[in-house]
Each structure stands twice: as C-alpha cells, then as structure tokens.
Amino acid sequence: MLSSLDSSLYPQVWEQQTFTSPQALLLSMLNNEVTIDANTFTKRLLANDIYQEWINTTVFGRYLHRNFTAFYQQTEDSFNVEMPALFRQELTRHAQYMPLGQVLFFAGEMSKVVRQTKLLTTTVNPATAIINAQKMATHQVSYSKVIVNQITIVGKQVLGFPIRHNKRTSERLRNEVLIMDFQDLRLVNEVTIEDIKKSNIDPTLNFESD
C-alpha cells in the first residue's frame, strides 16, 4: 500500500490561512478565498517526500496511460480483442493499493464508461481539478455548472497508479492518479458554493470509493 500523502501534505498554510484537509483547501479555492495556481501546488507536491515515493515507484507514465485507455476502449479491431485485458492484467501487477483516507479529485460528471471499465483518472492537485471543471463547463452548451468531485479511499482494495509526468511539459501540472479498480462509488453529499455561503453547513465528503 502507498504511504498516505495527505497526512504528510496537511495542514498547509496558504496566504496566511491554515488548511487541515484537501477538501477545506478546495472549498476555499472555489470560494475565491485563496488563489493557488496548478503550478504552485505542483511545486509543493514535488517537494514532498511521500509524493516523490509515489511517482518514483511507478512505471506508469502519461504516454502509457493514453495508449492503455485507447486499447481498452476500442471495440472494432477483433484482432486485438484480447489486448485490453492482457494490458490491464500486466499493469495491475505493478499497481499499488491506495492509502486509506486519501482524497482525490476529478472534474465534471462521471461518465457511464467509468463504471463499466473501472478506470478513473483523478488528481491530487485541487487547482488542476478546478481548471478541468471550468474547461468542461465552458465547452458544454446546455450545462455550464462547474463540478469538482472529491473521492475518499475507504476500502483496502482500491488499486491505483500515480502517473509520473514529464517535468518539461505542461502535463507536469496534472498530478494524476489512475484508479484501476474499485468495488463501489457512492454519492455521500453534494455541496454547492451557494449553499455554503447561505449557511454554516459542514462541507463533508462528496464521494467515497471502496
């Protein structure tokens, strides 16, 4: 099992404010109470020993990620019909269990394909999640709400691959983790910024995965 990243990253201090959890930082960013860009957060991640362990123990890079996803989703090529399963089996041998309590983010509504393939691309960078959510909202004509989902690992059998990105490209800001297997994904609580501003509700977890 990977070591807990959140326990080594938090509490964090940004703009003279202390944040004890990823969700507290995310909500403050969405409320424009603090301004943190993806690059600044990535630098803090790369300076963290646990995150270095995460990305340096994986053989999984972005190039492999793209090709794996393409293989897994193709249906027309009957000659390679067994490739996705073989590819996944090989990658699973090198994946590691995600630490309990670890928080991950992903942007936008979850597609039906995720529940079928059990492949979900997430990030540990809240700024990246917000940027992706804003891009999705901009490109959707009929639905423009910015959606950022939070997942908390609550089971011991969640396999993940921290993706080691090329430091010389813009992809270094992705800070992605590919979740390769999970048994369930449940909506626990849905919070909107408007609701937070109107009340003193506790911004609890949005999603759980176990």
Side-chain angles (χ1 to χ4, degrees), residues 9-14 17-21 25 36 41 44:
L9 268 180
Y10 295 88
Q12 289 192 27
V13 177
W14 293 95
Q17 298 183 58
T18 301
F19 301 95
T20 58
S21 66
L25 178 58
I36 307 168
F41 197 90
R44 186 165 293 194

Side-chain angles (χ1 to χ4, degrees), residues 49-62:
D49 290 341
I50 299 299
Y51 187 69
Q52 285 293 329
E53 287 181 12
W54 275 31
I55 60 177
N56 286 324
T57 54
T58 179
V59 297
F60 199 45
R62 182 70 180 176

Side-chain angles (χ1 to χ4, degrees), residues 166-183:
N166 190 330
K167 296 179 181 178
R168 294 185 294 275
T169 70
S170 60
E171 289 183 345
R172 72 186 185 281
L173 306 181
R174 293 177 182 270
N175 306 123
E176 290 171 319
V177 178
L178 179 69
I179 302 300
M180 292 191 62
D181 193 20
F182 51 86
Q183 297 301 315

Side-chain angles (χ1 to χ4, degrees), residues 1-2 54 88 92 94-104 118-120 122 151-162 177-186 208-210:
M1 180 176 288
L2 291 168
W54 275 31
R88 183 180 185 126
T92 301
H94 299 281
Q96 298 191 61
Y97 290 118
M98 298 300 299
L100 288 171
Q102 179 63 46
V103 171
L104 304 165
K118 297 299 178 68
L119 292 172
L120 177 62
T122 66
I151 288 180
T152 301
I153 305 297
V154 298
K156 296 181 179 179
Q157 304 296 316
V158 182
L159 283 173
F161 246 118
V177 178
L178 179 69
I179 302 300
M180 292 191 62
D181 193 20
F182 51 86
Q183 297 301 315
D184 195 12
L185 201 62
R186 296 187 302 275
E208 290 182 355
S209 173
D210 70 323

